[in-house]
């Protein structure tokens, strides 16, 4: 039986804590998103005000209708001032993560929105925890790997990462007490695999499960970095409760990340347990695809097949890393042990099992 990482700071244990942190009023953006949904249970010892634009979040303390991309967060002056007076801390988890959203939309949300939230925190005189991405460390590599095929595939990892880099600059320009957290790819809960909405790595796994990938564009030994949503949520809340000084935290598997080969093998193993047959996948280096596959076959395959390959190559430029991402997750105060080769593999198995059950209509064995 696989083992699971110890679940320190579990929301179910908050009520029994002998020394709970003081109650604060926390403004949370992106409460209805993947990370925001995961954060809410861990913030129950605080009063949460969820700033929402479209989708209402899961039940939380209070909801305020606003828009991070508009001046004063979309509020009238009186409401903005009242919110400033009431807020003790801000967690900015809202962001545009879909590569196909377009450069303009990503800039509006990830840059302008981040700057406006940071200005609110500065106006209120309260600390801000800003959620960025660990892939700001790989912007040049993503470009070099071809992660800017927006003109062909309609999506661009390079544009997304560029918007997150610019968002960090906008946050810094606003001043104030800012802690930046940079998670890698977020997957489901480390034990249950549950997630509000599948992410890019889930899409990759689903394509493997459905035998829709002709090959994997990667080196078998490359790293695939991810972090479970509950680990990111616990890290953010630990930093919030600890009143962490302004700093930067890389929330990633780092040297403990799975290799591409092992990541795919776990999918195949869990598929077999669920009675799903997955064809063996060849691994081809992306430069081989560009030099040999594209010139040889692209003039005879339909446009939809070309687009699918471009999107696969775009995704591979982010998913598969030759070198480990930076990681400082062990430095988060009070978080405890969260990562390691076995813990990461167990978390990935949980996500694949959940994906098989929820998306493919098959019940995988535990």
């Amino acid at each position: 039986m696989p083992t699971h990482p110890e679940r320190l700071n579990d929301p179910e244990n908050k009520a029994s804590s002998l020394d709970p942190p003081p109650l604060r009023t926390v403004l949370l953006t992106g409460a209805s998103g993947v990370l925001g949904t995961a954060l809410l249970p861990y913030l129950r010892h605080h009063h949460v005000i969820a700033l929402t634009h479209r989708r209402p979040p899961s039940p939380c303390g209070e909801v305020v209708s606003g828009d991070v991309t508009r001046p004063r967060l979309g509020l009238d002056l009186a409401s903005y001032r009242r919110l400033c007076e009431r807020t003790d801390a801000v967690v900015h988890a809202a962001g545009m993560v879909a590569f196909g959203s377009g450069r303009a939309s990503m800039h509006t949300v990830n840059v302008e929105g981040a700057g406006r939230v940071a200005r609110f925190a500065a106006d209120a005189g309260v600390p801000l925890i800003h959620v960025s991405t660990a892939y700001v460390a790989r912007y040049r590599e993503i470009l070099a790997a071809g992660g800017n095929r927006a003109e062909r595939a309609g999506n661009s990892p390079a544009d997304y990462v560029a918007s997150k880099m610019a968002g960090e600059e906008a946050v810094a320009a606003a001043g104030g007490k800012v802690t930046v957290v940079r998670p890698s790819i977020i997957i489901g809960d480390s034990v249950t695999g549950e997630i509000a909405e599948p992410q890019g790595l889930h899409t990759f796994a689903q394509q493997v499960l459905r035998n829709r990938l002709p090959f994997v564009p990667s080196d078998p030994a490359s790293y695939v970095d991810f972090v479970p949503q509950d680990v990111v949520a616990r890290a953010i809340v630990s930093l919030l409760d600890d009143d962490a000084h302004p700093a930067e935290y890389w929330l990633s598997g780092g040297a403990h990340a799975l290799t591409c080969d092992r990541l795919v093998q776990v999918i195949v193993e869990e598929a077999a347990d669920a009675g799903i047959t997955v064809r063996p996948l060849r691994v081809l280096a992306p430069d081989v695809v560009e030099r040999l596959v594209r010139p040889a076959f692209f003039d005879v395959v339909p446009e939809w097949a070309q687009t699918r390959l471009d999107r696969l190559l775009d995704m591979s430029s982010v998913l598969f890393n030759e070198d480990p991402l930076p990681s400082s997750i062990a430095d988060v105060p009070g978080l405890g042990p969260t990562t390691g080769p076995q813990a990461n593999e167990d978390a990935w198995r949980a996500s694949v099992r959940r994906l098989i059950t929820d998306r493919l209509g098959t019940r995988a064995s535990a």
Side-chain angles (χ1 to χ4, degrees), residues 100 149-156 306-312 314:
R149 296 179 177 82
E151 71 279 4
R152 294 203 303 246
N155 59 354
S156 175
Q306 298 179 32
T307 299
R308 179 177 293 180
L309 177 59
D310 279 334
R311 287 178 175 168
L312 176 61
D314 275 346

Side-chain angles (χ1 to χ4, degrees), residues 21 48 93 102 118 130 139 153 156 174 190 227 233 257 266 274 291 313 316 323 327 355:
V48 176
H130 171 68
Y139 178 65
S156 175
S190 59
V227 60
V266 168
R291 287 188 295 104
L313 291 168
S316 73
D323 299 308
S327 181
L355 180 66

Side-chain angles (χ1 to χ4, degrees), residues 148-195:
N148 60 341
R149 296 179 177 82
E151 71 279 4
R152 294 203 303 246
N155 59 354
S156 175
D159 285 348
Y160 166 71
V161 176
S163 74
K164 298 300 281 187
M165 292 170 65
E168 289 191 18
E169 294 173 358
V171 168
K177 181 181 177 182
V178 179
T179 296
V180 177
V181 296
R182 300 188 181 109
S184 61
I185 297 168
I186 295 179
I187 63 169
D189 182 273
S190 59
V191 174
T192 68
E194 182 178 1
I195 193 167

Side-chain angles (χ1 to χ4, degrees), residues 101-164:
S101 303
R103 186 175 300 172
S105 294
M106 284 189 282
H107 181 86
T108 299
V109 176
N110 295 344
V111 182
E112 295 179 14
R116 294 189 192 283
V117 173
R119 281 192 288 276
F120 169 85
D123 288 344
V126 301
L128 164 68
I129 296 179
H130 171 68
V131 181
S132 183
T133 174
Y135 287 89
V136 297
R138 293 198 64 245
Y139 178 65
R140 293 185 184 279
E141 289 89 340
I142 290 170
L143 277 178
N148 60 341
R149 296 179 177 82
E151 71 279 4
R152 294 203 303 246
N155 59 354
S156 175
D159 285 348
Y160 166 71
V161 176
S163 74
K164 298 300 281 187

